Amino acid sequence: TPPATETTRPTVIALANQKGGVAKTTSVASLGAALAELGKRVLLVDLDPQACLTFSLGVDPDTVERSIHDVLTAGVPLDEVALTTDDGMDLVPSAIELAGAEAMLLSRPGREYVLRTALEAGDTAYDVVLLDCSPSLGVLTLNALTAADGLIIPMPCEMLSHRGVGQLLDTVGDVQKILNRDLEVWGILPTLYDGRSNHSREVLADVGARYDLPVLEPPIPKTVRFAEAPAVGRAILATARSSKGAQAYREVAQSLLPRL
Ligand code: ADP
Ligand code: MG
């Protein structure tokens, strides 16, 4: 055990892909719940103005007192914004006003470092921080990549889903050169996988070689349980404890443990 004065920094993981509907938010909620089950202290940060992660954890973004917007634009400490959820994880919620944060940050020097600075100033109550990015490569996503130790790229095993990954990887290269030398791409997380479809299997077999990136295993199967879960305002693992999808996320979470 480290001495009480020693502070251990949480491992920060960004889930990003500038395409919407690739299961970023589902993966953040599910991996977070799986890591919490494994005894990790987990903080989720909703960096999407659409606030789907916030909703899916049963928090109404219209009524939250403070959100990630206040952290990024007014320097409010993360600890003062984090909420405890029913699912054993803490959440820094989003709110619609976050849509204006990009513009507010644009005129600020060091705008890409705001989240990183807030995480470093925060107390060290967490083992792992998962960042749910919006479907863009704007200032908010640059903040996530600048703060992150690892990047996971959720990618559906469906037709044309590859488009745009090259652009994301170019951005990652720029971030590694200029903003965050320590950023590592941990891999592609194949999502919405249909083992009965030839196309799904071909995409899975080809995707790692195509981008010269590791592929996290196992792929996350497409199941109706997931489509239903956010509607009832609970994290996926809680509503679908025994589903194949939840089990796959548990195995991926287990495979990440050595990196934490
Ligand atoms: P993103 O955050 O990338 O926009 P979401 O996590 O919101 O993607 O997922 C997009 C949609 O796909 C949601 O309706 C979600 O419920 C659904 N979905 C995600 N993962 C699965 C899955 N494994 N099987 C079926 N539906 C899924
Ligand atoms: Mg999302």
Side-chain angles (χ1 to χ4, degrees):
T1 336
T5 52
E6 188 174 315
T7 52
T8 48
R9 216 172 71 74
T11 304
V12 181
I13 309 171
L15 280 86
N17 182 331
Q18 77 276 32
K19 266 197 78 169
V22 301
K24 289 181 292 295
T25 299
T26 305
S27 299
V28 166
S30 304
L31 288 174
L35 288 166
E37 277 182 3
L38 290 166
K40 297 294 170 192
R41 296 160 305 170
V42 178
L43 176 68
L44 309 183
V45 181
D46 191 347
L47 285 168
D48 187 345
Q50 296 206 10
C52 295
L53 178 67
T54 301
F55 268 118
S56 79
L57 290 167
V59 176
D60 180 352
D62 290 336
T63 61
V64 291
E65 230 169 274
R66 281 187 291 209
S67 74
I68 186 66
H69 181 261
D70 302 287
V71 175
L72 296 177
T73 65
V76 174
L78 275 174
D79 322 350
E80 288 180 23
V81 178
L83 306 169
T84 305
T85 74
D86 295 343
D87 300 294
M89 307 170 274
D90 285 359
L91 168 73
V92 174
S94 178
I96 188 68
E97 58 193 350
L98 183 62
E102 301 251 0
M104 288 182 70
L105 286 170
L106 272 180
S107 60
R108 291 245 304 259
R111 56 185 170 256
E112 293 95 351
Y113 291 95
V114 183
L115 179 61
R116 183 184 185 105
T117 306
L119 283 167
E120 283 172 356
D123 75 25
T124 51
Y126 304 105
D127 299 307
V128 54
V129 179
L130 294 170
L131 307 175
D132 186 24
C133 292
S134 69
S136 89
L137 293 174
V139 177
L140 294 172
T141 297
L142 289 176
N143 262 274
L145 296 175
T146 301
D149 300 292
L151 168 65
I152 293 175
I153 306 172
M155 196 185 300
C157 300
E158 287 174 343
M159 194 107 60
L160 299 181
S161 59
H162 293 312
R163 288 233 181 123
V165 176
Q167 202 190 348
L168 172 62
L169 293 176
D170 287 347
T171 300
V172 168
D174 289 344
V175 169
Q176 287 166 328
K177 259 183 257 156
I178 302 165
L179 299 167
N180 178 11
R181 271 169 218 278
D182 298 330
L183 175 65
E184 271 182 43
V185 183
W186 285 3
I188 290 168
L189 176 63
T191 58
L192 298 162
Y193 178 67
D194 176 1
R196 293 163 310 176
S197 137
N198 286 336
H199 181 72
S200 239
R201 289 206 304 273
E202 281 163 22
V203 169
L204 183 64
D206 165 71
V207 72
R210 180 184 293 218
Y211 295 106
D212 193 22
L213 288 176
V215 177
L216 300 177
E217 286 181 66
I220 309 301
K222 190 172 188 166
T223 72
V224 300
R225 286 280 185 83
F226 279 99
E228 288 163 0
V232 297
R234 305 286 310 273
I236 286 74
L237 293 200
T239 48
R241 240 165 227 297
S242 60
S243 85
K244 278 197 295 182
Q247 201 46 43
Y249 275 116
R250 285 193 184 95
E251 287 176 43
V252 173
Q254 189 83 41
S255 79
L256 298 179
L257 286 182
R259 297 174 180 271
L260 303 184

